[in-house]
């Protein structure tokens, strides 16, 4: 009992020293604090996830991982933190702790805080747990652009298994954000998904054809690049502007065809190609 009391007092002393220490000293103290594994130390380490120094945050995260599943409740509570670093590391560690940590991450995709939703989508993508597909599909319609992109990036990591549910969503949804990000995601899932989109490119309405072309443009397929270039003469200025930006992002794969259209008769397409070439830079 006396020994435990002495160790507790020593840990409190180390934590007090840690508060005003510089980076290297913090790291040294943290290793000594981590050695004392108890609930108070765990709570302290979670607080260190928001430290100003990245090496300290990393060391604290490594120390928390040593607690295994015992750390899950306090990490789940840390998702309510106002500190973005704490949120980020808590979700990352929960993802590393195996399937038992994922209920908290899946709940985080419904958080009112878009930072938490963003980090949660990224964590699901890194783990590729089957239970994560449904919340990621839902997140394609998130109010925040960065969350939608995070969900799309995460789904791409799943590969071909998510092609079928994405195709189904594209057939039934009326939500424009979900349609756009579904197409964008399918465009990066390889030949099988691209074949489906190329068929939709042939039969879809004008807006659908444009979005599909933007999603597939990076592949260098001449059919979809041609759709984008011809969209430079569309009566809708938003499509003209978006087509210009898409061609600029595609860059090298679109240059030869843009030069071809620069010799053509349509002044709007010529002007659009010039703008896209300027935006593409070198």
């Amino acid at each position: 009992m006396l020994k435990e009391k002495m160790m507790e007092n020593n840990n409190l002393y180390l934590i007090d020293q840690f508060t005003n220490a510089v980076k290297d000293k913090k790291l040294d103290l943290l290793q000594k604090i981590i050695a004392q594994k108890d609930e108070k130390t765990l709570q302290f380490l979670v607080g260190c996830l928001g430290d100003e120094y990245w090496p300290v945050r990393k060391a604290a995260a490594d120390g928390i991982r040593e607690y295994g599943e015992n750390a899950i409740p306090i990490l789940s509570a840390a998702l309510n933190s106002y500190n973005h670093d704490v949120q980020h590391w808590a979700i990352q560690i929960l993802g590393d702790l195996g399937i038992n940590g994922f209920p908290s991450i899946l709940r985080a995709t419904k958080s009112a805080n878009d930072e938490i939703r963003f980090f949660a989508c990224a964590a699901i993508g890194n783990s590729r747990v089957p239970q994560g597909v449904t919340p990621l599909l839902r997140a394609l319609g998130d109010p925040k652009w960065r969350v939608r992109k995070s969900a799309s990036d995460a789904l791409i990591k799943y590969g071909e298994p998510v092609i079928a549910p994405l195709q189904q969503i594209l057939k039934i949804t009326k939500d424009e954000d979900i349609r756009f990000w579904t197409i964008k995601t399918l465009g990066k899932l390889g030949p099988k998904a691209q074949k489906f989109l190329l068929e939709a490119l042939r039969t879809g309405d004008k807006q659908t054809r444009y979005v599909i072309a933007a999603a597939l443009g990076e592949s260098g397929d001449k059919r979809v690049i041609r759709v984008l270039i011809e969209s430079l003469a569309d009566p809708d200025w938003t499509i003209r502007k978006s087509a210009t930006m898409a061609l600029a992002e595609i860059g090298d794969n679109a240059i030869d065809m843009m030069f071809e259209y620069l010799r053509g008769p349509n002044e709007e397409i010529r002007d659009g190609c010039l703008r896209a070439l300027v935006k593409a830079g070198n």
Side-chain angles (χ1 to χ4, degrees):
M1 184 70 178
L2 179 60
K3 184 179 178 180
E4 291 178 359
K5 189 67 175 177
M6 289 175 63
M7 291 178 68
E8 181 180 350
N9 289 337
N10 182 55
N11 224 35
L12 290 173
Y13 171 76
L14 294 172
I15 289 172
D16 185 61
Q17 292 290 103
F18 178 93
T19 304
N20 298 313
V22 295
K23 180 176 70 173
D24 291 340
K25 183 64 174 176
K26 278 186 172 183
L27 288 169
D28 180 56
L29 290 166
L30 198 56
Q31 294 308 316
K32 296 175 182 176
I33 293 168
I34 288 172
Q36 179 67 35
K37 289 185 173 61
D38 57 29
E39 186 175 344
K40 289 182 179 178
T41 302
L42 177 57
Q43 291 174 339
F44 171 75
L45 291 176
V46 170
C48 290
L49 296 176
D51 192 87
E52 61 182 313
Y53 300 114
W54 184 89
V56 174
R57 299 197 294 272
K58 172 69 164 56
D62 291 341
I64 293 169
R65 289 185 180 94
E66 294 181 12
Y67 285 79
E69 294 181 5
N70 292 327
I72 290 175
I74 193 169
L75 288 169
S76 299
L79 297 180
N80 296 320
S81 170
Y82 291 105
N83 186 297
H84 294 170
D85 283 321
V86 172
Q87 296 167 0
H88 166 74
W89 284 99
I91 288 178
Q92 187 179 89
I93 300 167
L94 282 165
D96 294 339
L97 291 177
I99 195 66
N100 289 330
F102 266 87
S104 296
I105 295 177
L106 297 178
R107 286 195 300 273
T109 62
K110 300 178 182 179
S111 170
N113 187 325
D114 61 277
E115 287 285 337
I116 292 179
R117 298 197 305 275
F118 171 82
F119 292 139
C121 290
I124 293 171
N126 290 334
S127 69
R128 297 189 292 279
V129 294
Q131 300 95 318
V133 173
T134 298
L136 287 176
L137 293 173
R138 184 173 60 243
L140 293 176
D142 193 273
K144 296 292 185 178
W145 180 90
R146 66 196 303 264
V147 179
R148 298 195 293 272
K149 185 176 188 306
S150 183
S152 174
D153 291 342
L155 285 164
I156 290 167
K157 293 181 179 180
Y158 279 81
E160 288 195 0
V162 298
I163 291 177
L166 285 167
Q167 290 174 344
Q168 186 62 26
I169 285 176
L170 191 58
K171 290 176 181 177
I172 63 176
T173 186
K174 301 299 181 183
D175 186 290
E176 288 301 318
D177 282 327
I178 294 177
R179 281 168 61 84
F180 177 87
W181 285 101
T182 299
I183 291 169
K184 195 77 171 171
T185 306
L186 283 167
K188 296 182 179 180
L189 284 173
K192 184 177 178 181
Q194 291 177 3
K195 182 179 179 181
F196 168 81
L197 290 179
L198 287 170
E199 176 60 25
L201 183 67
R202 187 178 65 83
T203 60
D205 58 36
K206 180 179 70 175
Q207 183 66 26
T208 299
R209 291 199 307 272
Y210 162 70
V211 177
I212 292 173
L216 291 179
E218 293 174 5
S219 69
D221 190 301
K222 291 184 177 181
R223 291 167 293 183
V224 296
I225 292 174
R226 191 176 299 280
V227 170
L228 285 173
I229 292 176
E230 291 178 355
S231 295
L232 295 171
D234 195 277
D236 187 334
W237 74 270
T238 61
I239 290 184
R240 295 197 302 272
K241 180 179 178 181
S242 298
T244 302
M245 298 304 296
L247 288 165
E249 290 179 9
I250 292 166
D252 289 349
N253 286 334
I255 286 176
D256 289 344
M257 191 170 291
M258 282 196 282
F259 276 124
E260 176 187 324
Y261 273 84
L262 280 172
R263 295 190 290 269
N266 190 302
E267 184 176 353
E268 285 186 320
I269 290 179
R270 292 201 306 270
D271 288 346
C273 286
L274 285 172
R275 287 193 297 274
L277 287 166
V278 169
K279 290 180 182 297
N282 293 336

